[in-house]
Amino acid sequence: MPDFDSGHIFLTTLAPIKPGAPADHPQSSYEQRARIALAKFATANQSPATVDDSHNSPFARNLRNHLARMFVLNDAIFNGRITQNPIIALLKGNKQIVPQPVDRLNAPYLVFCADVDAIINDGDPLPATLTGSQQKAVRASYARKLWETMETELRDVYSNCYGFETVNSADDFAKYLDRCHVETTMPFHDYYLDLDSAKFNNLPVTPLAAAVLVPLLVALVSLVLWLFGMGTLPLLGWASLPTGITALLLTGLAAYLAIRFTISNGEKPLAPATYDDLPSVLKALYIQQKFSDFFIGNQGLPPDELHGAFGAFMAEHDPDNRQVQTQKPGVISSADPENVTLKDAHSS
């Protein structure tokens, strides 16, 4: 299903950038100002170059973003000529040196792509299915969350786009993004840990093929027998020509239904994996690192001491609680206490 799969919304929006430059700053075009605003966005602390940076990505201020990317697209990419056999082109009179029409954008666009948990409220479970109106509600909730957590950055970049002049609140921004929304037909990720137990929408190829090929075979046999002068089918006694025609019609109907079923099956969203939401992913990263330290630090302990140490580990890190003792978004490691949401900090 476009935009929705595995419990996530895969969002794409294109906001047209204004032409020219503002009257009070004619030396910088709106497109350049949008690029400058984007360049000021902090990068997530997830690489050796940024891990010690005091500023984190503004998209790390909420617990829904798995991936977020914003950039300026000034024109469509030219993929080259539509190729044609030169002999056929010569016979048709097509001149290979004459340029073909090239797709162009009517304006530069600010593109925003995001992969987010398809939830209305933080902490909600990931849904397996969403109607079109429910998807719209999820997108609106996410837009409001962005406005609440990074309004300043959004104003800096979107103020260079058409229609943003009327945006003054979280609800306004949600409506604006909805007008800029385009369908996303390719998901950006999955977190399936166990492919054998994943509920994929497998296509029943054998039954579908049988539903089409069996009446087709009956039609071919019936028509061949009729051509050789056999008016009835052996053993069955059915008239060859009517049977062949009927079987052909059934073959066409079966093929049509099989194609429709295949398309419908392909449009079904995959169910979310067990630990597919962002809080679960962050908690898993945290526990993975802390348990590695525990494993190394408790080598060779007697069973009783190891049992006690493991109990203390469970009490301290609380694996079932995704809200505390977990890694914060936008960081690569839990080694620094600043990168961890602690119990005391959460309760205060």
Side-chain angles (χ1 to χ4, degrees), residues 41-80:
F41 277 30
T43 304
N45 305 149
Q46 294 175 326
S47 71
T50 62
V51 67
D52 295 323
D53 198 331
S54 59
H55 297 90
N56 203 341
S57 168
F59 293 106
R61 296 173 192 163
N62 70 70
L63 286 172
R64 300 188 193 181
N65 285 314
H66 291 260
L67 176 147
R69 178 170 295 170
M70 191 177 287
F71 58 93
V72 172
L73 180 66
N74 65 323
D75 210 341
I77 302 299
F78 177 60
N79 288 323

Side-chain angles (χ1 to χ4, degrees), residues 204-226:
V205 177
T206 300
L208 288 177
V212 176
L213 294 178
V214 169
L216 177 61
L217 179 62
V218 172
L220 292 176
V221 171
S222 300
L223 293 176
V224 168
L225 292 177
W226 176 75

Side-chain angles (χ1 to χ4, degrees), residues 83-97:
T83 59
Q84 188 177 18
N85 185 297
I87 297 177
I88 295 177
L90 180 63
L91 294 175
K92 289 184 175 181
N94 295 336
K95 297 181 180 180
Q96 297 289 285
I97 61 173

Side-chain angles (χ1 to χ4, degrees), residues 13 15-18 29-41 58-59 69-73 108-112 146-147 150-165 173 176-177:
T13 66
I17 297 176
K18 301 174 185 177
S29 68
Y30 285 108
E31 179 182 348
Q32 184 61 25
R33 290 166 64 87
R35 293 182 184 275
I36 292 173
L38 289 176
K40 293 179 180 179
F41 277 30
F59 293 106
R69 178 170 295 170
M70 191 177 287
F71 58 93
V72 172
L73 180 66
Y109 283 82
L110 177 65
V111 182
F112 175 46
L146 286 180
W147 189 264
M150 52 181 294
E151 176 185 349
T152 300
E153 290 87 353
L154 293 174
R155 284 188 179 277
D156 286 345
V157 65
Y158 276 101
S159 60
N160 302 289
C161 299
Y162 276 109
F164 191 75
E165 301 83 3
F173 184 64
Y176 180 77
L177 271 196

Side-chain angles (χ1 to χ4, degrees), residues 110-140:
L110 177 65
V111 182
F112 175 46
C113 303
D115 164 16
V116 300
D117 289 342
I119 57 176
I120 300 293
N121 301 302
D122 290 344
D124 288 348
L126 296 182
T129 59
L130 286 179
T131 64
S133 60
Q134 289 172 329
Q135 289 186 39
K136 185 174 181 178
V138 168
R139 294 197 304 268

